[in-house]
Each structure stands twice: as structure tokens, then as C-alpha cells.
Amino acid sequence: PVRLVASGGGSVQSGIYLKLACTNSGYTYRSNCMAWFRQRPGKGREKVAAIYTGGRPQTWHSDSLAGRFTISQDKTNDTLYLEIDSTRPDDTALYICATEAVPNNGLCYARWNQGDFRYWGQGTQVTVSS
């Protein structure tokens, strides 16, 4: 099966830069739609960013996160990244990656917007202290 493994989290001080990574350690799966979500303590899952790497590449980022988050993919090692600038205590959350192969960027956006992906990882915990 596809097995997504997220890494790069930890306990950090407010204001630092973090780069999270997500790789597939299981069955080789050629996906073109990948996303990050997060779940903060006591809250529901929240969309963070998504990337479509098909014929018309596109990225989307949550408006509420004010430009501090950047999603990218390194195709040479098939790794998905999430960069977080100027971490804040309210960024404390379990960060979860998800992936699926879809036919176009519109469906990728819909998957992200609805939180409806075929494959999900377990996540990496980020704890930010002030």
C-alpha cells in the first residue's frame, strides 16, 4: 500500500523557520495532487496548502495563514514539503500530508477544499512555544 511518512516536526520556539517533509515509503504511486492539512488541539482538521503537478501546475494556500506557509514538491526524490515562516504558538498542530492521482487541477482543488483524499499519512507533530 501507499504509506505516507511526514517528518520535520518537533518542539520549537516561536519565530523560527520549519520545513516539513512527506515521502511515500510504500508502493510506488504516481500522484499529481498532494496536500497538507493540520489539526490543532481541540479543533477539526484544517486545510493548509495543496499542489497539483500535472499538465497545468498550480498551488493553493489557505488565506487564513497569511502567506507564512509554502508548499512545494521535489520531483527528483518525490518528496512533498511545507515551509513555515515565523512559527507562532497557534501553529501548534499535527501536520498531515495526503495524496491522490487526479485528472486535472480543478479536481485537485476540490479534493483539498473538501479534505477528501484517497491516501493519508499519520502526520508530524509541531509544538511552538512562546
Side-chain angles (χ1 to χ4, degrees):
V2 172
R3 183 169 175 263
L4 299 179
V5 179
S7 61
S11 296
V12 300
Q13 290 285 98
S14 180
I16 75 150
Y17 164 89
L18 268 184
K19 188 171 185 177
L20 309 181
C22 176
T23 59
N24 175 16
S25 67
Y27 175 74
T28 299
Y29 179 70
R30 298 293 181 189
S31 68
N32 55 10
C33 178
M34 292 144 282
W36 287 97
F37 295 82
R38 70 180 185 181
Q39 186 149 15
R40 293 186 283 174
K43 297 186 181 293
R45 191 173 60 203
E46 174 186 11
K47 61 182 185 183
V48 176
I51 183 168
Y52 176 72
T53 60
R56 296 178 65 182
Q58 195 165 356
T59 59
W60 302 273
H61 296 81
S62 174
D63 290 340
S64 65
L65 299 178
R68 295 186 299 112
F69 291 69
T70 304
I71 191 171
S72 62
Q73 188 208 26
D74 185 342
K75 289 191 174 184
T76 63
N77 59 15
D78 203 22
T79 299
L80 179 71
Y81 296 103
L82 181 69
E83 296 173 81
I84 310 174
D85 282 324
S86 301
T87 51
R88 307 189 309 210
D90 63 357
D91 292 328
T92 294
L94 181 67
Y95 285 78
I96 306 163
C97 54
T99 191
E100 185 170 346
V102 297
N104 56 62
N105 57 5
L107 194 55
C108 184
Y109 177 80
R111 288 282 188 264
W112 176 59
N113 199 39
Q114 297 163 11
D116 181 20
F117 278 83
R118 182 174 183 183
Y119 298 108
W120 294 83
Q122 296 298 311
T124 184
Q125 178 67 37
V126 173
T127 302
V128 184
S129 57
S130 56

